[in-house]
Amino acid sequence: MLRKLKVLPILALLALPGCLEQQVATPGPLKLDDCGAAGYGGLVGTPLSRFDVSAVKSPVRVLAPGSVMTMDLRHDRLNIEHDKRGTITRVYCG
């Protein structure tokens, strides 16, 4: 019985770190145009072929209709959505 009583304080100390509050880093506030999407707004309604991906310095993601995409939010990434005909329908950051 004494042996069990000696083990209890050790178990309590081992469990203590799980009770501590952990701080999680949070990203700064999202600005509406961190990726420069406003500069590409004029492309909406034009063929995707007029968009030069290599000219953009930030990450770019081109999204076809119904395409699978990650749900990670990257405020510096330029997203270009287009329709089935290859016409740009939306330009945004995210």
Side-chain angles (χ1 to χ4, degrees):
M1 185 70 159
L2 272 177
R3 187 174 182 166
K4 287 182 182 179
L5 291 176
K6 289 180 182 178
V7 174
L8 282 177
I10 294 172
L11 290 176
L13 287 174
L14 290 175
L16 187 60
C19 297
L20 297 176
E21 184 178 327
Q22 295 180 359
Q23 292 183 351
V24 177
T26 56
L30 175 64
K31 297 176 188 166
L32 293 178
D33 197 33
D34 279 348
C35 70
Y40 297 99
L43 291 172
V44 174
T46 64
L48 183 60
S49 59
R50 291 192 48 196
F51 176 65
D52 182 14
V53 175
S54 64
V56 182
K57 294 180 179 149
S58 64
V60 177
R61 179 167 60 176
V62 178
L63 302 163
S67 62
V68 177
M69 68 174 136
T70 60
M71 297 305 292
D72 61 321
L73 178 61
R74 293 192 51 187
H75 57 88
D76 64 330
R77 178 174 48 206
L78 180 66
N79 292 293
I80 308 290
E81 288 184 1
H82 63 88
D83 61 14
K84 291 179 182 179
R85 295 183 307 243
T87 302
I88 296 173
T89 56
R90 185 177 175 206
V91 179
Y92 63 99
C93 298

